[in-house]
Amino acid sequence: FFSHRNRRINRSRSQRERSTSTMDFDIAAQRLKKDQQSSLARSRASRNARTASAKAKREAALARQKAEKRLREKKLEGERTSRIVDLIIRSVGRVERDLGVANVGLSSSPVQPTTAPSKASSTVEKQGQSIFTTSPLASGWTFHATSIHGEGDKIALPPSVLETMTSNANDLDPWGSGRNGRPIAFRVGVLNQEYVFPSSDKMKALVESVRQEVVSSEKNELSHQPSSVTEDSSSNGATNGDLDGADDETDDSNVIEAYLDELQHRYLAYTHGTVVEFTQENDCVGLPEPIARALLQPNSHSLAGNSAVGRKDPIPVKRTVDPASTANASDELNGEQDEKKDAMDVDIIGEADGGEKTPGHPAYGLFDIPALPIEVTPINSLPPGKNCTFTPTASSITNGFYALKDVKAVLEQSLMRTRATLSRGDVIRTWRRGISFDLIVSSLSPSVYGTVSCVNTDLNVDIGPPEGGETEDETSATNDGSHGNVAKTAETATNNPMGGGGRLLSETSSPSTPLPIESNVKSPIELPPEPAVDCKVGVCNVQIRGRTPSGNSATGRRRFDVTTATISDLFSFASQVCDGVNPSAFRLVTRFPRRVFRVAFGGEGEDCFAANATLESAGIGQGQEMFMVEAV
């Protein structure tokens, strides 16, 4: 038993030993496998770490390069923006220096961003047109409008303006004792409360063209510079070298057009005038009725353009009230009665005719004035006017403007006594024996700025076609416009009543029917010799204006001795000017007053004269005469 038990024990022990050996080998194998896997993972991790480190370095370097590029682009964009702004400011400043515009405001008008930008404003910002923090346009004094008496363009300003103008810091002489001898003019405009710079299409186009020039100059500068040149030297060289070149190459005509177009957005309406006195309150400017009418009732010729004529929201108006009338109102009346009484007081004052009407004095309640702020900007170099065209209004034609016999005297009184400036679109009110005639300034020469000075200059005045046109019959019936040289010097006006260079009112209608060519006219036409150049007694300087048979305009001048030259000689000269038109096919007429001359070829009739009648016997005296050729 014991022996059997021992054998069994030994056998179990051997089995346990074998099992233990097998287990140790498996554990060791598993441990080895685990160690190998850990070593492989560590090797892979180390390799991945080395790869990630190189990649991170490359990414970091790339990010650094991008950041540096952004900084360079931001710096370049800032330099480009400053150059564009500087070029625009210099271009606008050059125009204003030529015009003599003085910047008397505290600072340039700020460009205020809109509180709720629209899609359009966002587009403008993207295009880089919001780069202006201030407007480069010169700013003037800002006032509230009051009404004063006056028939011309004379405004009234506060005494503080006179002190500012006569101070040593400003070279502004209100009395015209400067280099051109003309009193200083003022631009009077109704400020647009929503204005931002730039607003006009032409000014935006100018900014864009300057931007393109700057970018092109930068590219050219970079292409011609070696890579070793530092950024600072390249940017400084471009700034110093290209500004003057781009400034010189800028087209002045485009800058002037953009400047005037921008003024039409800066102001709701504007015109020009001079000062009559410095008696207003510190925050007020006195406007006469013609200036107020030019601001509130623009026409198709006005400086504000057609956009002002068709404006949806008209300029708000007001009427000044006599403070004495409001002070006398009874305190016992309620608010409604006070309002009715104030309105009644204004009407009574407006209808009163016995008050003082001295120019510059207050005119309470007589006419509407703008309720918005008025900006007054001094201009000391308005170009002197050379030619202007006045267009009669429909009311003037109804009042018999074309029946006036002495238009020259009427215009001289209206211009010399009431006007120192003329702006396109101004309405000149003339008077003749208690009847008013309104004439619109439809064109001016020089026409660059749309305004001229009519002081110390010879102004040639023409009468243009009526406002709104006429029918052909009405035109031929009233074909007697006016031409005159209105001399605005201290001396007397020139004695040439017909020396203008205007055109026929009938030229606006269909072309005239060609006149028949004379078939039996001698060639060349024999005319009496002209008087000596130094001979003036009994000599008439004749100007003929007509049309050739082909429809082209024809003009000729000749001197005649009125005591010896005949009507036949006059008509022969007119026939020669019009390329051989038969004298029996036309008549000669003068303008203002209208006189008609015809040659009596074998018959008699109204306004007919014998062919051998002298010019003196026909009523043509010494001096100057202009004859228009009209077909019969």
Side-chain angles (χ1 to χ4, degrees), residues 108-434:
S108 298
S109 302
V111 179
Q112 299 291 346
T114 54
T115 55
S118 60
K119 294 182 179 180
S121 62
S122 300
T123 304
V124 169
E125 291 178 0
K126 291 180 181 179
Q127 294 178 351
Q129 294 183 351
S130 59
I131 58 179
F132 296 91
T133 57
T134 58
S135 174
L137 302 180
S139 60
W141 301 288
T142 303
F143 303 109
H144 299 289
T146 62
S147 55
I148 61 174
H149 289 289
E151 289 291 337
D153 60 348
K154 307 298 190 299
I155 63 175
L157 295 172
S160 58
V161 173
L162 178 60
E163 297 177 0
T164 303
M165 295 174 63
T166 55
S167 63
N168 295 330
N170 296 280
D171 186 17
L172 301 175
D173 183 8
W175 316 122
S177 59
R179 56 185 179 182
N180 55 17
R182 301 185 185 93
I184 193 168
F186 297 90
R187 180 194 297 145
V188 184
V190 182
L191 283 174
N192 183 3
Q193 302 297 308
E194 300 178 355
Y195 169 74
V196 293
F197 182 89
S199 295
S200 65
D201 295 336
K202 292 184 178 180
M203 183 59 73
K204 293 178 181 178
L206 178 63
V207 173
E208 183 61 27
S209 65
V210 171
R211 176 185 296 276
Q212 294 176 1
E213 291 179 0
V214 170
V215 173
S216 177
S217 66
E218 289 176 353
K219 293 181 179 178
N220 295 334
E221 190 72 21
L222 292 176
S223 62
H224 288 82
Q225 285 184 350
S227 58
S228 60
V229 179
T230 59
E231 298 176 5
D232 294 337
S233 62
S234 63
S235 61
N236 292 336
T239 302
N240 296 332
D242 290 341
L243 278 179
D244 295 336
D247 186 38
D248 294 338
E249 294 176 1
T250 303
D251 192 352
D252 286 342
S253 61
N254 294 337
V255 176
I256 293 175
E257 291 179 1
Y259 175 77
L260 296 178
D261 194 25
E262 190 67 19
L263 288 182
Q264 296 181 9
H265 291 75
R266 178 183 177 90
Y267 303 108
L268 300 178
Y270 74 97
T271 184
H272 299 80
T274 53
V275 63
V276 62
E277 59 185 14
F278 297 89
T279 56
Q280 290 291 315
E281 299 293 334
N282 285 333
D283 59 342
C284 295
V285 56
L287 303 181
E289 194 271 339
I291 295 292
R293 182 172 62 231
L295 298 178
L296 297 177
Q297 301 175 12
N299 50 63
S300 59
H301 304 286
S302 297
L303 295 176
N306 295 328
S307 58
V309 178
R311 187 185 297 116
K312 295 182 179 180
D313 299 328
I315 299 176
V317 299
K318 65 179 181 179
R319 290 203 176 189
T320 56
V321 180
D322 188 356
S325 63
T326 58
N328 293 332
S330 175
D331 296 335
E332 298 179 358
L333 298 178
N334 55 28
E336 182 179 358
Q337 292 176 342
D338 287 338
E339 294 178 359
K340 292 182 179 180
K341 182 171 180 58
D342 290 341
M344 185 180 300
D345 290 341
V346 171
D347 293 338
I348 293 174
I349 294 172
E351 297 173 358
D353 295 330
E356 184 68 27
K357 295 185 178 180
T358 304
H361 287 196
Y364 297 116
L366 292 183
F367 51 86
D368 293 335
I369 54 177
L372 296 178
I374 303 296
E375 184 179 68
V376 179
T377 307
I379 302 176
N380 55 18
S381 296
L382 273 186
K386 297 181 180 179
N387 299 281
C388 69
T389 301
F390 290 159
T391 299
T393 61
S395 61
S396 299
I397 299 175
T398 303
N399 292 339
F401 175 76
Y402 289 120
L404 294 176
K405 294 183 178 181
D406 195 358
V407 175
K408 178 175 178 292
V410 174
L411 293 179
E412 284 181 348
Q413 292 177 1
S414 301
L415 292 178
M416 296 180 66
R417 297 182 181 180
T418 63
R419 308 291 303 196
T421 64
L422 287 177
S423 300
R424 197 174 64 247
D426 285 353
V427 178
I428 309 299
R429 175 159 294 176
T430 61
W431 293 89
R432 181 65 172 176
R433 296 180 178 179

Side-chain angles (χ1 to χ4, degrees), residues 575-598:
S575 176
Q576 184 184 39
V577 171
C578 297
D579 291 346
V581 176
N582 194 332
S584 62
F586 64 87
R587 61 188 176 188
L588 298 178
V589 299
T590 63
R591 294 180 170 182
F592 292 107
R594 179 180 174 87
R595 294 178 296 166
V596 180
F597 299 88
R598 293 188 61 185

Side-chain angles (χ1 to χ4, degrees), residues 436-457:
S436 64
F437 303 94
D438 290 341
L439 305 175
I440 301 175
V441 181
S442 55
S443 67
L444 292 169
S445 176
S447 60
V448 179
Y449 299 105
T451 180
V452 297
S453 173
C454 49
V455 177
N456 288 349
T457 182

Side-chain angles (χ1 to χ4, degrees), residues 38-111:
S38 299
S39 177
L40 183 61
R42 286 194 300 270
S43 176
R44 187 178 298 142
S46 177
R47 186 169 59 253
N48 291 339
R50 289 194 300 270
T51 304
S53 177
K55 183 178 180 181
K57 291 180 180 179
R58 289 195 301 270
E59 291 178 351
L62 182 61
R64 184 168 57 254
Q65 292 176 359
K66 290 182 178 180
E68 293 175 353
K69 183 179 179 180
R70 285 194 299 268
L71 290 176
R72 288 195 301 269
E73 291 178 351
K74 186 176 181 180
K75 181 180 179 180
L76 182 61
E77 182 64 26
E79 294 175 352
R80 182 184 301 126
T81 299
S82 62
R83 293 175 62 195
I84 294 172
V85 172
D86 184 65
L87 284 174
I88 294 298
I89 292 176
R90 292 171 62 179
S91 299
V92 172
R94 185 171 62 254
V95 175
E96 292 188 335
R97 284 194 302 272
D98 294 340
L99 189 57
V101 181
N103 188 3
V104 295
L106 296 178
S107 61
S108 298
S109 302
V111 179

Side-chain angles (χ1 to χ4, degrees), residues 409-559:
V410 174
L411 293 179
E412 284 181 348
Q413 292 177 1
S414 301
L415 292 178
M416 296 180 66
R417 297 182 181 180
T418 63
R419 308 291 303 196
T421 64
L422 287 177
S423 300
R424 197 174 64 247
D426 285 353
V427 178
I428 309 299
R429 175 159 294 176
T430 61
W431 293 89
R432 181 65 172 176
R433 296 180 178 179
I435 301 177
S436 64
F437 303 94
D438 290 341
L439 305 175
I440 301 175
V441 181
S442 55
S443 67
L444 292 169
S445 176
S447 60
V448 179
Y449 299 105
T451 180
V452 297
S453 173
C454 49
V455 177
N456 288 349
T457 182
D458 290 337
L459 190 62
N460 185 38
V461 177
D462 295 340
I463 303 300
E467 185 72 7
E470 294 184 4
T471 62
E472 186 175 356
D473 295 338
E474 292 173 344
T475 301
S476 60
T478 60
N479 188 17
D480 50 358
S482 173
H483 295 275
N485 285 331
V486 182
K488 297 295 294 179
T489 59
E491 295 84 5
T492 58
T494 178
N495 59 357
N496 178 10
M498 299 298 175
R503 63 184 180 185
L504 292 172
L505 299 184
S506 57
E507 290 181 6
T508 58
S509 59
S510 59
S512 303
T513 304
L515 299 176
I517 300 177
E518 183 179 3
S519 59
N520 56 355
V521 177
K522 297 179 181 180
S523 182
I525 299 176
E526 297 181 359
L527 295 174
E530 292 191 49
V533 178
D534 56 349
C535 182
K536 296 183 179 180
V537 178
V539 176
C540 180
N541 191 354
V542 174
Q543 179 183 6
I544 301 294
R545 303 191 66 184
R547 289 185 179 273
T548 63
S550 60
N552 297 326
S553 299
T555 304
R557 292 178 181 270
R558 197 181 192 279
R559 302 171 74 245

